[in-house]
Amino acid sequence: MTQAHAPGWKGALTGNSVLLVAAFGLGVFHLAVVAGLISLSTLPMRIIHVALAFSLLFATKPMTARLAGTRWNTVLSGVLIAATLAASWWMLTRWKAIAFSGGLTEPGDFWAGLVLLIVVFEAARRGIGLILAGIALAFFSYAFLSPYLPGVLNGRGYSLERMVIFLTTDTAGIYGIPVGVAATYIIVFTIFGALLSRFGAGDFFFEISMRLTRGLRAASAKSAVLFSTLIGMVSGSAAGNVAVTGVVTIPIMKREGYKPHQAGAVEAVASTGGQLMPPVMGAAAFIMAEIVGVPYTSIMAVAILPALLFFTSAFFIVHLQAVKSGLAPSSEGTGDGRSLGRVLWDGLPFMAAFGTLIALMLWGYTPFKASLWAMGALLIGDILVRRRLDADFVARIAGGISEGAKGVITISAACAAAGIIAGTLGITGLGSKIALLIETGSNGWLFLALVFTMITSIILGMGLPTTAAYLILATVVAPALVKLGVPVLTAHFFVFYYGCISTITPPVALAAYVAGGIAGADINKVGWTAAAYAITSFVLPFAFVFAPALTLQGGLVDNLAAIVTGFAGIGAVAVAVIGCLSRPLGPVPRLLAGLAGGCLLFQGWATAALGLCLIAAVIVLDRRAPSHVQRI
């Protein structure tokens, strides 16, 4: 890998460099707000963020692929930018009068709001795709169609004016919590991630991953898991993570002996799990903290053991697949010739940045304040290591801020669209009706309600980035679980997990599609293989509900027992999925291994004892089976 530089900051002023400057301005503005250099009230802050982010989105994303680069695209995008800025300016001049009058509006508020709603739908379509825009439009339409719907979905209906005013002049609509999080937490962390990338964190993570797995069986796949974990903590996007890391890891795995679809599946699974790993879990985790009303450190504490279980499961999977395929320990991953001491010294800025981030958040700093100090540690560390303060250093900072700001524009579109969904659910009461449908359909049986929720979460999450998927699930599905007695944080973590793994769940599996393209494999085969490799992830959320200790929310003894049985359980599930221990296994041992994994993951002394007995039986059967491959 080579370090990324900051193209566009040198040379003639072009259309591309103008966009870079605009993105840089957006990033600097938000950094100044978060740092306290600019003081703004909540609603004006969100209005400005939407105006600037959407204008940048319309300038960078074409109407359609066919119109890209044409005069029509320029004209139509210009009209949308002008409409966005004009309507946002109107709202900026009117928000105080509306707030201080108790909600009194005038005709201009309706027309400006209507323009903003149209802009949000188009931003969601351009930035995320037709799926999110269609879902948002379907929920918005419910307000007008409810009088004609049967049964529990029947409602009194609302006028267009009432809906527009409610969704655009209040913090319960498009300017709600999701947009607020995008304008504070998310944009700062996307800038932090972009700066890490610009200063070479990818090279450092890759070098460390390769050295840690050197000489092991399935070394390339294990380094892919490690590398994708480290990069995924920064990127927060499964498909984006595959695109960055897969071009390096997938060819190495194929050379080592993995089939193309297997290499693509390993990368897709590992990249998806990056969003689950603290301290930086992607945008959705920050939104969860805000919606649930808990500190981000609480989200980190809940996520740490499930994340470790996820990646340990991935390690088991790739190792057992290598054993089953007869792959010998790899000689690849010898590094670039530098000594370990030199590698660690060169990586000092990145270790300092992450160390500062974690320490300050544990000390009680807000995540965005901690990330500002982490950026400072990164820059100071780079100066100490390189011993240079030159034009390239400045270019990297400018490029990182610009890239990070550009990275938040599609997330902001998803957040605004989610505001339409949340606002509609609130004003029409549809949210409680969906919860009632799940409760009625399950007849109050929690396990069946969780199954319904899982299916709904995966379907709604298909084709959407994790942030957009979680925003929909948090507003539509999570309240149903809370109504059935599931703790709020556990309910949100349940749907968050399925929102993440929807990126590797066929038939629409974005991360698997990207990996399949890089691997040169059938994308559907990659998707189904990835879903099989990540089977533990489909079981873990159920275990969170019935075994709170897996999220470290039990007592000390329960938590320690959960750690032991959790790792043993995911190991047993991996044996069942791959069908191999020290050699290939038949159907009966695989079935026993799967049952053992389920018993161990669902906490309880009796189930743990049963699970351990089943594992012992699998080991005995493995030792007695005819040998087809060399034992571990």
Side-chain angles (χ1 to χ4, degrees):
M1 295 182 66
T2 58
Q3 286 189 346
H5 291 273
W9 289 98
K10 299 176 182 179
L13 189 65
T14 64
N16 186 55
S17 60
V18 169
L19 292 177
L20 284 173
V21 171
F24 177 77
L26 173 63
V28 169
F29 167 72
H30 281 289
L31 289 176
V33 171
V34 170
L37 301 177
I38 298 176
S39 180
L40 284 174
S41 299
T42 298
L43 192 56
M45 170 65 184
R46 297 176 184 181
I47 293 172
I48 293 172
H49 174 78
V50 167
L52 298 179
F54 281 18
S55 297
L56 190 58
L57 186 150
F58 293 137
T60 54
K61 302 271 186 183
M63 287 283 293
T64 64
R66 188 175 180 179
L67 289 177
T70 64
R71 181 176 298 178
W72 269 111
N73 180 74
T74 303
V75 171
L76 292 173
S77 296
V79 169
L80 282 169
I81 292 172
T84 301
L85 294 175
S88 299
W89 176 254
W90 178 273
M91 290 300 177
L92 274 176
T93 61
R94 287 282 301 150
W95 77 271
K96 273 190 178 180
I98 295 173
F100 292 164
S101 66
L104 294 178
T105 59
E106 58 185 51
D109 301 326
F110 165 74
W111 291 110
L114 184 61
V115 169
L116 283 171
L117 284 182
I118 294 171
V119 163
V120 170
F121 284 123
E122 174 59 14
R125 186 194 68 83
R126 284 202 197 192
I128 307 297
L130 278 172
I131 295 177
L132 178 60
I135 292 174
L137 183 59
F139 276 93
F140 180 67
S141 300
Y142 173 79
F144 317 114
L145 300 177
S146 59
Y148 311 103
L149 296 178
V152 70
L153 294 178
N154 183 265
R156 66 176 185 176
Y158 291 85
S159 67
L160 178 63
E161 181 179 3
R162 174 77 183 278
M163 290 299 298
V164 168
I165 292 296
F166 177 77
L167 292 175
T168 58
T169 62
D170 195 276
T171 54
I174 64 173
Y175 298 124
I177 288 176
V179 163
V181 175
T184 51
Y185 293 86
I186 297 175
I187 191 168
V188 175
F189 273 88
T190 57
I191 292 173
F192 178 49
L195 286 173
L196 285 169
S197 177
R198 291 276 172 162
F199 280 86
D203 292 344
F204 173 68
F205 291 152
F206 181 69
E207 186 67 21
I208 291 295
S209 301
M210 295 295 281
R211 287 171 182 265
L212 288 175
T213 59
R214 179 190 303 169
L216 299 177
R217 194 194 296 265
S220 62
K222 290 172 182 174
S223 67
V225 172
L226 274 176
F227 184 38
S228 299
T229 304
L230 296 170
I231 294 296
M233 287 193 300
V234 176
S235 72
S237 167
N241 194 3
V242 173
V244 172
T245 63
V247 293
V248 177
T249 60
I250 289 175
I252 297 176
M253 282 189 276
K254 290 170 66 176
R255 288 199 301 271
E256 192 178 25
Y258 281 88
K259 295 176 182 178
H261 72 278
Q262 293 173 339
V266 169
E267 178 56 43
V269 171
S271 294
T272 297
Q275 302 168 97
L276 305 170
M277 179 60 76
V280 184
M281 301 167 57
F286 297 109
I287 296 173
M288 187 195 305
E290 200 71 15
I291 292 176
V292 176
V294 298
Y296 181 69
T297 49
S298 298
I299 304 295
M300 290 170 52
V302 168
I304 185 63
L305 181 56
L308 292 175
L309 291 173
F310 181 97
F311 281 103
T312 304
S313 173
F315 266 93
F316 283 151
I317 290 287
V318 298
H319 179 81
L320 294 174
Q321 184 64 63
V323 172
K324 187 175 183 179
S325 302
L327 301 182
S330 174
S331 60
E332 294 216 39
T334 55
D336 58 8
R338 290 179 293 168
S339 67
L340 179 59
R342 183 64 194 180
V343 171
L344 294 176
W345 172 253
D346 290 343
L348 176 64
F350 317 117
M351 293 187 288
F354 274 102
T356 301
L357 178 69
I358 296 170
L360 290 182
M361 282 199 292
L362 292 178
W363 201 359
Y365 278 61
T366 58
F368 47 83
K369 290 287 187 183
S371 66
L372 284 177
W373 284 104
M375 289 181 213
L378 171 67
L379 300 181
I380 294 172
D382 185 78
I383 294 172
L384 290 175
V385 171
R386 294 174 68 233
R387 298 182 181 180
R388 285 206 309 269
L389 188 60
D390 51 17
D392 182 63
F393 178 81
V394 177
R396 286 172 186 268
I397 294 175
I401 293 175
S402 177
E403 183 182 329
K406 286 175 66 177
V408 83
I409 60 176
T410 55
I411 297 175
S412 298
C415 289
I420 293 177
I421 296 172
T424 302
L425 289 171
I427 193 173
T428 62
L430 179 59
S432 60
K433 293 178 180 179
I434 292 174
L436 180 62
L437 284 174
I438 293 178
E439 183 180 9
T440 304
S442 64
N443 198 27
W445 185 21
L446 180 58
F447 181 80
L448 189 57
L450 292 175
V451 172
F452 290 157
T453 304
M454 176 191 72
I455 295 171
T456 305
S457 299
I458 291 175
I459 292 173
L460 289 178
M462 285 182 180
L464 294 177
T466 301
T467 304
Y470 170 71
L471 283 167
I472 293 174
L473 298 173
T475 53
V476 178
V477 183
L481 296 183
V482 175
K483 192 173 181 181
L484 287 171
V486 178
V488 176
L489 183 55
T490 303
H492 279 261
F493 205 68
F494 184 92
V495 298
F496 167 71
Y497 228 81
Y498 285 116
C500 287
I501 61 179
S502 67
T503 61
I504 52 172
T505 306
V508 184
L510 295 182
Y513 289 173
V514 177
I518 296 172
D522 180 85
I523 58 175
N524 289 315
K525 196 171 185 180
V526 172
W528 288 112
T529 304
Y533 286 175
I535 192 68
T536 305
S537 304
F538 291 90
V539 179
L540 275 177
F542 284 83
F544 301 157
V545 176
F546 294 106
L550 278 176
T551 53
L552 301 181
Q553 297 185 77
L556 177 61
V557 175
D558 289 338
N559 289 346
L560 291 175
I563 293 172
V564 174
T565 58
F567 283 106
I570 57 102
V573 171
V575 170
V577 170
I578 301 300
C580 179
L581 189 52
S582 67
R583 63 190 79 194
L585 298 173
V588 173
R590 293 181 71 171
L591 177 60
L592 293 177
L595 291 174
C599 290
L600 289 165
L601 287 174
F602 287 85
Q603 303 293 295
W605 296 109
T607 55
L610 177 59
L612 291 174
C613 291
L614 291 173
I615 287 179
V618 172
I619 293 173
V620 170
L621 292 172
D622 172 69
R623 296 301 177 185
R624 291 182 177 178
S627 179
H628 297 291
V629 296
Q630 183 179 357
R631 291 184 180 180
I632 300 174

